[in-house]
Amino acid sequence: MTTITAAMVKDLRETTGAGMMDCKQALTENSGEMQAAIDWLRKKGLSKAAKKAGRVAAEGLIGAVTSGRKGVVVEVNSETDFVARNGQFQGLVKMIAQVALDVGADLEKILAAKVGAVTVATAIADAIATIGENMTLRRAALLEVSKGIVSSYVHNAVIEGAGKMGVIVALESTGKTDELAVLGKQLAMHVAAANPQALDPSGLDPAVVKREKDVLADKYRQQGKPENVIEKIVESGLKTFYKEVCLLEQASVHGEHNGKAISQVLKEAEGKIGAPVKITGFVRYALGEGIDRQETDFAAEVAAASGQKKPPGDAATTS
């Protein structure tokens, strides 16, 4: 039988917004499987959201650089946030992003690229030796258009072009570059805030759509709805789901747009820009998303270092 830990319950509660006891029951019913527990809560109507942004974090920085019709975003990880605030590390991230803008998003090509007399891989190794902490180039993405612009936005920037989250958005258009840049910045900020999963429903993973349909159907089946009614409700529910996760169908987060769908915002912007505008792609990197970080038991570490057993209960002692 799977042991349900307090940390597991806490993670599920933060992800779904459900009550602590409901989260514990969901994990127990689903052998500790997080995604299954999320779906279980949703079927019971106890979850506030299908999925929130991953809360597991790794340290480091996201770098984003654009140049006209091309832009890149990279993630470089470090072991601690202290290093992420180090000037040498920040310079390293910006340098790597600039190299990726020149050579593309292939990690091997980036690492092999020369910066002066050394490769990027050597520069990373030198930084590790100097700072005394492991660092890795985790991922990179590049967007490019034949006509138009690629815009970027860095959230929680610690220096220009590097922070805890980076977004690039590619806009294809023959219109005015300055107006495109304004729109592109707004869209990049929207992507950072709304975290769309795809440009439109056709870009969604079929498995994600199927799971959503199954969750909706099971939820209303448990309420005793007849199958013919369930089918209609599910289709309606999917439309709502698409508005939540597809960029073109999401409501703009910018107040000046009055909650209009992004597709409508694009259409209305064409007047100022002077030509049709099409989003050809976007990339959103949030620092550490998808990385499992091992939780540290400081009391156990200190006890181990001193050759003692970990004290029972709270690590603190009282007299």
Side-chain angles (χ1 to χ4, degrees):
M1 184 176 177
T2 304
T3 301
I4 307 303
T5 66
M8 292 165 67
V9 174
K10 176 176 176 290
D11 287 345
L12 183 58
R13 188 181 186 189
E14 289 180 348
T15 301
T16 63
M20 186 175 294
M21 294 308 296
D22 290 326
C23 288
K24 184 174 182 180
Q25 184 181 357
L27 287 164
T28 302
E29 293 285 340
N30 293 280
S31 303
E33 290 291 330
M34 183 63 72
Q35 187 58 61
I38 291 171
D39 291 347
W40 187 91
L41 286 168
R42 295 187 63 222
K43 291 173 185 177
K44 299 292 184 182
L46 299 171
S47 174
K48 295 180 181 177
K51 189 177 182 182
K52 291 186 179 179
R55 298 178 185 271
V56 178
E59 304 303 340
L61 288 172
I62 304 292
V65 178
T66 61
S67 179
R69 300 190 304 272
K70 185 162 60 171
V72 296
V73 60
V74 302
E75 179 175 358
V76 185
N77 294 128
S78 61
E79 292 182 46
T80 66
D81 183 58
F82 178 78
V83 168
R85 299 193 299 270
N86 177 285
Q88 181 182 354
F89 179 78
Q90 293 169 358
L92 179 71
V93 174
K94 290 196 71 172
M95 178 268 288
I96 291 173
Q98 189 61 54
V99 169
L101 189 66
D102 296 332
V103 305
D106 183 275
L107 296 187
E108 291 186 4
K109 289 183 178 179
I110 296 172
L111 292 170
K114 283 287 190 74
V115 180
V118 301
T119 64
V120 170
T122 300
I124 293 174
D126 289 345
I128 292 171
T130 302
I131 298 175
E133 187 168 304
N134 190 33
M135 303 165 200
T136 58
L137 169 60
R138 181 190 177 201
R139 52 181 175 164
L142 180 144
L143 293 177
E144 189 171 8
V145 291
S146 59
K147 50 188 177 182
I149 194 171
V150 176
S151 296
S152 67
Y153 169 68
V154 174
H155 188 61
N156 287 337
V158 294
I159 56 171
E160 184 180 357
K164 300 299 184 182
M165 180 187 294
V167 176
I168 51 175
V169 177
L171 297 178
E172 184 178 86
S173 178
T174 58
K176 301 173 186 176
T177 303
D178 56 343
E179 294 292 346
L180 270 177
V182 172
L183 177 62
K185 184 77 169 184
Q186 289 181 344
L187 291 171
M189 293 176 72
H190 171 91
V191 169
N195 191 19
Q197 295 181 29
L199 187 61
D200 55 39
S202 67
L204 288 171
D205 184 342
V208 171
V209 177
K210 182 180 184 303
R211 190 176 75 231
E212 185 67 19
K213 291 174 71 173
D214 290 344
V215 166
L216 289 170
D218 286 349
K219 177 179 178 179
Y220 291 106
R221 197 169 285 125
Q222 289 179 18
Q223 294 178 7
K225 304 286 187 183
E227 289 298 321
N228 62 324
V229 173
I230 288 175
E231 186 176 347
K232 293 179 180 179
I233 296 176
V234 167
E235 288 305 313
S236 176
L238 280 179
K239 290 179 181 179
T240 301
F241 175 66
Y242 295 150
K243 289 180 181 180
E244 293 172 352
V245 301
C246 296
L247 176 56
L248 291 176
E249 299 194 23
Q250 286 180 328
S252 174
V253 299
H254 287 272
E256 65 186 90
H257 298 142
N258 297 316
K260 295 175 182 175
I262 293 297
S263 57
Q264 187 177 353
V265 171
L266 289 175
K267 197 67 180 174
E268 293 180 356
E270 292 177 355
K272 285 185 178 180
I273 293 168
V277 182
K278 179 183 179 183
I279 301 175
T280 60
F282 68 90
V283 179
R284 178 187 186 273
Y285 279 180
L287 182 66
E289 58 190 353
I291 296 178
D292 290 328
R293 173 194 278 176
Q294 183 177 354
E295 292 191 12
T296 303
D297 187 333
F298 290 106
E301 284 189 1
V302 172
S306 62
Q308 302 173 357
K309 291 183 179 180
K310 177 185 173 183
D314 199 312
T317 58
T318 57
S319 56

